[in-house]
Amino acid sequence: MKNNKMYVYLGLGLFVMAMAVTVMLLPKMAKQKESARNGKSMQLPPASNDEKQVQTSRKVLPKGHTVPSIVEEVAKEEAHKDVKETDKEAKEVSVSQYNFNGGSKLAWPVKGNVIINFDMDHMVYFSTLDEYRYSNAIAIEAKEDTPVLAAAAGEVTKIEEDTEHGTCVTMRIGPEYEITYGQLKDCNLKVGQNVKRQEEFAKVAKVSSQFAEEGNNLYLCLKREKDYENPLSYLDFSE
């Protein structure tokens, strides 16, 4: 009987000691579990190559902005293409209208004899002025009221009154070329107006007093940028 009681007391003592140890270790074990849990949440698995590409392609937009849809992007691209095509067509039209480049021929604005020749190397005698001077243009004999036709399609850039050549009209006929007609009347053109090749735009006027002895004529001057060119080198003699 005594031995049985002793075993009971011994078992109770061991149980109490085990409980005490458990109570002491519980907080420590809880902390270890929490630390382990936090550590796992901080360590993310390495991103795959596909995920890296997706992350790289993402754009960070300011607050309030949204990523445009694919439809919107396509619409913008199409609109941009339309603008480019329109600009291209406008340039092509401009070039085709005023494309004289020296390789083509000029139409005769009036038919007649050349009574004053072009010469920028030697002096030319001018009867009415009774002097020698360089001639930067030609004069084509023509009766008063003779219709004047455009030698090439062009855009009117200047209309002015000149003491020697009366009413003068200058047209841009190509990227580098401009042509001036003088001794004109009945000209209703305006600066910026377009004129077609061989379109009548004026008539030959009574010659100015500076060329009275030479007689009625059409003054024709051709320039390539800043240099004067001989119109006879470009007029079409096959007409």
Side-chain angles (χ1 to χ4, degrees), residues 78-94:
E78 291 299 325
H80 192 55
K81 285 181 183 177
D82 291 341
V83 171
K84 281 187 175 180
E85 290 297 325
T86 302
D87 291 343
K88 184 179 178 182
E89 289 173 3
K91 288 178 181 177
E92 288 176 351
V93 169
S94 177

Side-chain angles (χ1 to χ4, degrees), residues 62-99:
K63 187 176 180 181
H65 288 256
T66 58
V67 179
S69 67
I70 295 176
V71 175
E72 290 175 342
E73 291 293 336
V74 172
K76 286 180 181 178
E77 273 186 40
E78 291 299 325
H80 192 55
K81 285 181 183 177
D82 291 341
V83 171
K84 281 187 175 180
E85 290 297 325
T86 302
D87 291 343
K88 184 179 178 182
E89 289 173 3
K91 288 178 181 177
E92 288 176 351
V93 169
S94 177
V95 171
S96 65
Q97 286 179 342
Y98 318 122
N99 60 356

Side-chain angles (χ1 to χ4, degrees), residues 133-194:
R133 58 163 68 175
Y134 292 108
S135 177
N136 62 4
I138 63 173
I140 305 173
E141 185 179 26
K143 294 181 180 180
E144 186 178 355
D145 294 324
T146 299
V148 179
L149 311 181
E155 179 185 3
V156 179
T157 58
K158 188 188 298 182
I159 301 174
E160 60 184 351
E161 292 294 326
D162 184 272
T163 54
E164 290 188 6
H165 305 109
T167 301
C168 295
V169 174
T170 300
M171 299 182 192
R172 187 184 76 233
I173 58 175
E176 299 177 337
Y177 289 86
E178 68 175 22
I179 193 167
T180 300
Y181 309 84
Q183 306 286 5
L184 302 175
K185 73 174 184 178
D186 298 341
C187 178
N188 297 318
L189 295 176
K190 296 179 181 179
V191 173
Q193 187 171 338
N194 299 327

Side-chain angles (χ1 to χ4, degrees), residues 123-135 164 210-211 213-214:
M123 295 286 194
V124 176
Y125 180 69
F126 288 80
S127 301
T128 307
L129 299 175
D130 192 23
E131 66 180 24
Y132 286 88
R133 58 163 68 175
Y134 292 108
S135 177
E164 290 188 6
Q210 305 282 344
F211 291 89
E213 291 192 21
E214 284 82 359

Side-chain angles (χ1 to χ4, degrees), residues 204-218:
V204 175
K206 182 179 180 180
V207 70
S208 65
S209 59
Q210 305 282 344
F211 291 89
E213 291 192 21
E214 284 82 359
N216 292 329
N217 66 82
L218 176 74

